[in-house]
Amino acid sequence: MTTVQSEPSTVLAVTDLASQVSGPVYVPGDDGFDAEIAAWNLATAHRPLVAVGAADAADVAAAVGWAAERGLPVAVQATGHGAVAAAIGGVLVNTSRLDEVTVDPATRTARVGAGVKWARVIEAAAPYGLAPLSGSSSDVGAVGYTVGGGLGLLARRYGYAADHVRGLRIVTADGQLRDVDADEHPDLFWAVRGGKGNFGIVTSIEIDLVPVATLYAGGIFYPGAVAADVLHAYRAWTSSLPDETTTSVAILRLPPLPELPEPLRGQTVVHLRFIHAGDADVTRADVLSRLPAEVRTRYRDEWRPRYDAWAAALWGE
């Protein structure tokens, strides 16, 4: 019988849990344990007593119910991108195997499993001229991103991704699998859309897809030394942009890695990101006309971007 020691006086038998689930169950020292609990950010090192690789929603319910019976805390991880604090003790449920993606072009919706990254949803929706409200990276989990709020690339036109959830399946702390939407368990539905993992483990969501087939986008990297100037200009610029245009800005300390363009390696930069979901002419002409003349001059003569990924589209160069 496989056992795991939680406290000197407490031994937990996990054989009964393994018999209730179809996915793997690991304890420290097992082959596969480290891979099952690894986060994307390796600086976050989980140390659970038990790891369950859920193969379906029923596995999640069984794992949560088993933990509840023994008074153990439960943590959840899918793609591992949301790991900001280590899970110490208790049961870690890995939902990365819940990889369902189905698109209904008639209703403009998609059903997405908890382990699915945005890239697969984008690929499945694109043939129909549709797109999900994903974030700036297609390599993160769609469910975790969405239930965390989801302020993404098309936010000014369509709002938060969480506001485009039609329904979801969730395992609550009592180990019950529930279908939740605006009519069934409406309070829970409201809380989960933005409350992320605090109200249960979401196993799948049904989301709206939007009619966007083409985007115009890119980014400029400015030297960190002109951050104040760039941010002041950015505030003035964004107040005049149309709803079809979404922007964001970040100050980044980039590592000296060969994968990065040479001008960016080891630099502190201001990254200005731009995405337009409208007419292409707006990308080239209207956006430029909305920048104050002083800003356009300083862009060329003083700020000198370290790397410009959208100069050709924006400036016609």
Side-chain angles (χ1 to χ4, degrees), residues 74-145:
V74 176
V76 60
Q77 176 166 278
T79 65
H81 289 85
V84 295
I88 308 300
V91 179
L92 177 66
V93 180
N94 186 326
T95 58
S96 63
R97 295 170 179 81
L98 307 186
D99 59 356
E100 168 195 10
V101 179
T102 57
V103 170
D104 185 340
T107 60
R108 293 180 177 175
T109 60
R111 169 69 64 173
V112 183
V116 175
K117 296 181 179 180
W118 277 123
R120 288 189 56 210
V121 186
I122 295 168
E123 292 167 0
Y128 306 104
L130 301 172
L133 295 178
S134 56
S136 59
S137 172
S138 62
D139 195 45
V140 302
V143 169
Y145 170 87

Side-chain angles (χ1 to χ4, degrees), residues 79-213:
T79 65
H81 289 85
V84 295
I88 308 300
V91 179
L92 177 66
V93 180
N94 186 326
T95 58
S96 63
R97 295 170 179 81
L98 307 186
D99 59 356
E100 168 195 10
V101 179
T102 57
V103 170
D104 185 340
T107 60
R108 293 180 177 175
T109 60
R111 169 69 64 173
V112 183
V116 175
K117 296 181 179 180
W118 277 123
R120 288 189 56 210
V121 186
I122 295 168
E123 292 167 0
Y128 306 104
L130 301 172
L133 295 178
S134 56
S136 59
S137 172
S138 62
D139 195 45
V140 302
V143 169
Y145 170 87
T146 301
V147 298
L151 188 65
L153 304 176
L154 301 172
R156 294 194 70 225
R157 185 172 183 181
Y158 293 105
Y160 285 94
D163 290 331
H164 292 266
V165 176
R166 297 281 190 95
L168 53 89
R169 302 198 83 191
I170 185 172
V171 176
T172 47
D174 56 1
Q176 296 299 306
L177 179 61
R178 305 176 190 275
D179 290 305
V180 177
D181 56 27
D183 298 317
E184 294 291 327
H185 310 290
D187 290 343
L188 182 58
F189 183 59
W190 173 85
V192 172
R193 294 175 301 135
K196 208 157 185 175
N198 292 307
F199 299 94
I201 298 179
V202 176
T203 62
S204 65
I205 56 174
E206 183 181 4
I207 57 173
D208 291 325
L209 300 173
V210 297
V212 174

